[in-house]
Amino acid sequence: MKFKLNINKIINATLILLFPIECIGCNKEDAYLCDKCFLTIPLHEKVEPFEHPLQYVDEIWTATDYQNNLVQTAIHHLKFRHIKELAQPLSRLLIEFYDNATRPATDDSRFATRDLRYSIIPVPLNKKRLLERDFNQSELIGKLFSDYFGFELLADAVKRTRNTPHQVGLNKKQRQTNLKDAFIITKPDLIKNENIILIDDVVTTGSTLEEIAKALKENGAQRVMGLIAAKD
Ligand SMILES: [Zn+2]
């Protein structure tokens, strides 16, 4: 056991030597996204209008824009270089946005519900991609968000029924067809009468959120909101 632990330490030390922890913005060492760079990311100050019509999701809240270089790099490195530590600054975007927007002084009626309790559901990955990546980035972000506000994280309440192809390059209609009935509710008891926040890293047309919200509402969920780090 002790020996195994030391081996892990050696592997970690080697990895850090080979790939030192440095900020994706300024290359300063010790953090993947330093505080100074994080604070340059402009947060949405209010609910940005969502240009695609929504049928099942009540609102989509986005913390910032995907066009921001740091945001784009952070999401890319988390998903494709598997730097899980980047879930932390990405969840911080959601936490700060939600905290600002639900401040009691806000006059936006959509947020006049600071005391409303939500259950948090991360958008699930399909099995194939979960095997490739070994983690769901939305779940990492959702866990940090839930812990901060004391909301319940329902990580396995929704599952994908099949491996849907990538949505990239598809138009809205094709995305809808691609996703039709792609989600099932595995724990309907936990959904019934609940207010839900769906968490994801990026939103484009909202088709994925819509398809999940449809399944949730068919199972008796009340409000279904989307809270997304970056709007594409
Ligand atoms: Zn930096």
Side-chain angles (χ1 to χ4, degrees):
M1 189 67 187
K2 207 171 178 191
F3 177 71
K4 207 173 169 190
L5 220 105
N6 286 340
I7 289 282
N8 281 339
K9 267 191 185 162
I10 292 166
I11 291 172
N12 281 337
T14 315
L15 282 175
I16 287 169
L17 272 180
L18 289 174
F19 306 101
I21 298 173
E22 56 179 45
C23 174
I24 56 173
C26 66
N27 299 91
K28 202 181 92 181
E29 285 192 14
D30 293 336
Y32 288 106
L33 180 53
C34 78
D35 235 37
K36 212 173 147 196
C37 291
F38 177 86
L39 292 170
T40 65
I41 299 172
L43 274 185
H44 293 161
E45 284 174 13
K46 54 180 176 54
V47 178
E48 293 281 303
F50 197 72
E51 54 269 26
H52 301 279
L54 300 171
Q55 192 181 350
Y56 300 101
V57 181
D58 292 280
E59 291 265 358
I60 292 182
W61 302 329
T62 53
T64 187
D65 290 308
Y66 191 62
Q67 273 59 40
N68 180 284
N69 270 337
L70 286 177
V71 172
Q72 211 170 105
T73 309
I75 290 174
H76 193 270
H77 281 28
L78 169 62
K79 277 158 89 162
F80 303 109
R81 293 200 190 170
H82 302 188
I83 301 177
K84 289 186 192 175
E85 287 84 351
L86 285 166
Q88 198 273 332
L90 290 167
S91 71
R92 192 174 154 197
L93 291 171
L94 294 185
I95 290 167
E96 292 194 2
F97 170 80
Y98 185 82
D99 200 37
N100 282 336
T102 58
R103 216 154 258 178
T106 182
D107 50 11
D108 190 331
S109 61
R110 287 172 291 202
F111 282 112
T113 46
R114 180 84 203 224
D115 298 331
L116 198 61
R117 303 296 302 164
Y118 286 103
S119 296
I120 307 300
I121 298 186
V123 168
L125 279 186
N126 70 41
K127 241 188 218 155
K128 190 166 156 260
R129 223 158 294 152
L130 192 58
L131 281 176
E132 286 163 5
R133 197 173 294 161
D134 190 37
F135 66 94
N136 176 357
Q137 73 281 356
S138 304
E139 189 176 331
L140 297 182
I141 297 169
K143 165 101 178 63
L144 292 164
F145 179 82
S146 312
D147 287 351
Y148 187 89
F149 289 106
F151 291 148
E152 193 176 355
L153 180 77
L154 304 178
D156 303 316
V158 180
K159 286 227 160 87
R160 291 211 187 223
T161 53
R162 53 195 160 83
N163 293 330
T164 50
H166 274 290
Q167 298 273 83
V168 177
L170 302 183
N171 67 29
K172 189 163 188 206
K173 194 90 205 123
Q174 290 166 327
R175 283 172 187 237
Q176 283 165 344
T177 314
N178 187 25
L179 288 169
K180 196 167 165 30
D181 301 321
F183 298 96
I184 48 158
I185 308 300
T186 54
K187 296 176 181 165
D189 294 354
L190 297 180
I191 302 303
K192 207 171 172 205
N193 299 323
E194 292 296 317
N195 297 305
I196 311 278
I197 292 180
L198 296 171
I199 300 242
D200 210 356
D201 50 347
V202 188
V203 63
T204 308
T205 64
S207 303
T208 307
L209 299 175
E210 276 281 272
E211 202 55 39
I212 299 173
K214 179 172 172 253
L216 287 169
K217 290 202 167 165
E218 283 168 357
N219 281 270
Q222 295 218 336
R223 271 181 126 209
V224 179
M225 323 299 291
L227 178 59
I228 317 294
K231 185 175 187 225
D232 191 11

